[in-house]
Amino acid sequence: MFGFKKKEQKPLWIMGKDVMEIIRSDYDEGMAFTLIEFHYQGNTYLMGSCIVPPDAEERKENISFVFQDQVFQEFDEFQANASIDGIRISELEGPIEVVRAGIIGNDTMLKTPWGETRLAKKALA
């Protein structure tokens, strides 16, 4: 009678350099980007920035950067070390596929198809 289908989530493909630019821009303004989970060449990765400790005031001094299980205190150190097979995220030739974004405490906090609208604005067509 009524056919309600679960809305299928379209993949979000974006260049790694664009994600790094968003993370850097947020940091320059004293904001944490939160985390994204993405696929690249069949593997899953986690990266972004967050406030440490979680209940601290959101300002530059409290922002840490994450790539997989590594945590960095400085953006430049994060950008230099966030790499896949020796290639920095910002220098990957192919796009990454964002699976989840706006992850805090393992939950997607933002209510958009990918959690983070700024990613969608830079998505590849």
Side-chain angles (χ1 to χ4, degrees):
M1 186 189 264
F2 294 102
F4 292 105
K5 287 185 175 180
K6 187 175 180 178
K7 194 172 185 179
E8 194 172 313
Q9 187 171 321
K10 295 179 183 175
L12 184 149
W13 294 94
I14 186 170
M15 296 304 292
K17 68 179 178 67
D18 291 333
V19 176
M20 286 299 209
E21 287 174 8
I22 294 169
I23 294 170
R24 176 62 183 241
S25 174
D26 283 1
Y27 175 68
D28 287 345
E29 295 180 21
M31 300 185 312
F33 170 76
T34 69
L35 302 176
I36 68 167
E37 182 179 315
F38 67 94
H39 292 159
Y40 185 75
Q41 295 184 341
N43 294 311
T44 302
Y45 301 90
L46 182 72
M47 80 171 184
S49 61
C50 55
I51 303 297
V52 177
D55 59 349
E57 183 180 341
E58 188 169 11
R59 58 183 190 195
K60 280 187 174 184
E61 299 80 31
N62 298 330
I63 296 175
S64 293
F65 303 93
V66 175
F67 181 72
Q68 295 294 78
D69 59 352
Q70 302 170 62
V71 179
F72 306 96
Q73 300 307 311
E74 301 293 328
F75 178 82
D76 293 334
E77 180 186 21
F78 162 67
Q79 188 171 27
N81 289 287
S83 62
I84 298 172
D85 296 329
I87 303 171
R88 293 180 184 179
I89 300 297
S90 58
E91 297 172 354
L92 293 174
E93 290 193 22
I96 62 175
E97 179 187 11
V98 176
V99 179
R100 296 189 302 158
I103 304 167
I104 299 174
N106 206 30
D107 292 322
T108 303
M109 301 302 289
L110 304 172
K111 305 299 182 197
T112 65
W114 302 284
E116 173 52 66
T117 58
R118 291 165 301 166
L119 293 172
K121 288 178 184 175
K122 293 199 175 228
L124 303 173

